[in-house]
């Protein structure tokens, strides 16, 4: 189990230390055929997930960090992960405490930019270096645990992100996510979701 | 200067290791008299800033981290800082590359919850323990550098956040912020702002 967990985590890892060249407004060639709402997951006719757009206006939920220098120089995920959920799914989680079918969670990978500032020694976010997403979908992941499917848009160093991505093999991501606190989502590291779960109204209102 | 910087940083520091009790929907007693838009800074008649509401739906810009164990056990800011800007000010920054008068930046303090996960050793966000904000306002901070005023809503361990806060003495915050990259804002640690500055359209579109 431990070995699978490590393999799973490592197989999800993205190459660190580079900045991708993301052309603003670059049109995607894939044709969307399903769109639950303006901010949710969009798939092409082959079932690939189109790269999410506009997610920096979604709901930020937390930033896990497992830097190389705390993992013998070889972290599975050496970057900051800025994690977001689409607003409609946040609203549903706020109301019911559950992730709706169609929920999309985006993980934006950000390099460790520096380790020192006037405020002290620490970790400070550098540049965007990758993008991953998970979608809860009975249609697209009928046999995956919790119907969660995982997608990766990161490419080689300095190359643009993929416009669309195919479903990752189950073992690549679910091997770790099976241990997560709430419906295969690591809410133990996402204080915004924990504070919102089933509360009915925004906790910061 | 160095001493002032340290004093300034330390005087802004919030006590770590506790969770404040924030009552959802708790009405504030202060009466708002100025409201630039639904999401911006609101002051009472005495010039105190009302505690920002709904900021977890604003634009997240970055998460600086200077934990105690990297600062000889006495970090000035031992927590994660989840930092947000109001959407209208983000739009202005996207369009012009400048912070508008009335811009509000919120810093939500989050404890270090754990240092180990299935993904490796690192830092993972725990609980909300404080709230601070800065506002660029010619009216409320006519003599402060860049017209930025700083406010602190954090209280004692386990106590609710303040409903309103008075302007911090200049030395408490500006002594550090004077060294920041862009108009007294530490954009060097905020990749979302760097990517957006003057771009015209959302970089993640």
């Amino acid at each position: 189990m431990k070995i699978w967990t490590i393999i799973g985590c490592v197989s999800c890892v993205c190459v660190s230390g580079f900045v991708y060249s993301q052309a603003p407004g670059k049109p995607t060639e894939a044709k969307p055929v399903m769109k639950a709402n303006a901010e949710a997951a969009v798939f092409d006719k082959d079932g690939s997930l189109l790269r999410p757009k506009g997610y920096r206006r979604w709901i930020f939920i937390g930033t896990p960090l497992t830097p190389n220098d705390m993992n013998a120089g070889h972290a599975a995920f050496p970057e900051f992960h800025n994690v977001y959920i689409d607003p409609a799914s946040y609203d549903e989680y706020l109301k019911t405490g559950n992730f709706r079918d169609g929920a999309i969670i985006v993980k934006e990978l950000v390099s460790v930019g520096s380790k020192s500032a006037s405020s002290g020694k620490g970790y400070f976010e550098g540049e965007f270096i990758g993008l991953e997403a998970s979608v809860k979908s009975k249609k697209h992941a009928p046999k995956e645990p919790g119907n969660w499917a995982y997608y990766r848009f990161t490419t080689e160093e300095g190359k643009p992100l993929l416009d669309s991505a195919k479903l990752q093999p189950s073992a690549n991501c679910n091997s770790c996510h099976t241990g997560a606190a709430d419906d295969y989502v690591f809410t133990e590291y996402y204080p915004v979701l924990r504070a919102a779960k089933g509360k009915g109204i925004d906790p910061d209102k």
Side-chain angles (χ1 to χ4, degrees), chain A:
Chain A
M1 180 59 193
K2 183 68 178 172
I3 293 172
W4 268 112
T5 300
I6 294 169
I7 292 171
C9 287
V10 172
S11 63
C12 273
V13 72
C14 299
V15 179
S16 184
F18 65 86
V19 180
Y20 59 73
S21 57
Q22 185 179 353
K26 186 174 180 286
T28 177
E29 292 174 7
K31 293 177 180 61
V33 292
M34 190 279 280
K35 196 167 183 175
N37 67 43
E39 298 168 315
V42 184
F43 294 86
D44 69 12
K45 60 181 169 51
D46 299 322
S48 292
L49 180 67
L50 301 196
R51 178 160 50 83
K53 305 282 177 80
Y55 50 84
R56 287 182 201 151
R57 291 178 186 256
W58 292 5
I59 311 298
F60 166 76
I61 59 174
T63 300
L65 171 67
T66 51
N68 268 333
D69 54 14
M70 290 178 73
N71 293 277
H74 299 286
F77 306 92
E79 333 82 4
F80 283 91
H81 290 172
N82 291 350
V83 186
Y84 301 83
I85 190 168
D86 70 282
S89 297
Y90 179 76
D91 287 342
E92 177 73 14
Y93 195 78
L94 197 59
K95 185 179 174 185
T96 68
N98 299 318
F99 295 103
R100 67 175 183 140
D101 192 78
I104 175 167
I105 293 175
V106 164
K107 182 169 82 174
E108 185 155 44
L109 281 58
V110 188
S111 66
V112 173
S114 69
K115 292 190 60 185
S116 181
S118 59
S119 54
K121 293 179 181 173
Y123 291 94
F124 301 89
E125 298 196 344
E127 304 298 332
F128 298 116
I129 56 173
L131 193 73
E132 300 179 5
S134 58
V135 179
K136 185 178 177 74
S137 170
K138 286 178 185 167
K139 179 179 177 183
H140 292 90
K143 296 181 180 176
E144 299 293 333
N147 300 129
W148 284 102
Y150 300 86
Y151 303 88
R152 185 178 169 206
F153 301 91
T154 311
T155 57
E156 295 173 66
E157 182 173 350
K159 296 286 177 67
L161 296 171
L162 296 174
D163 284 335
S164 63
K166 293 191 185 305
L167 177 70
Q168 290 277 315
S170 184
N172 281 15
C173 302
N174 270 317
S175 54
C176 278
H177 280 265
T178 296
D182 188 2
D183 190 14
Y184 306 93
V185 178
F186 287 103
T187 54
E188 58 266 60
Y189 311 131
Y190 302 143
V192 173
L193 286 184
R194 290 200 308 278
K197 186 176 174 71
K199 292 294 194 303
I201 61 168
D202 282 342
D204 62 330
K205 279 283 187 186

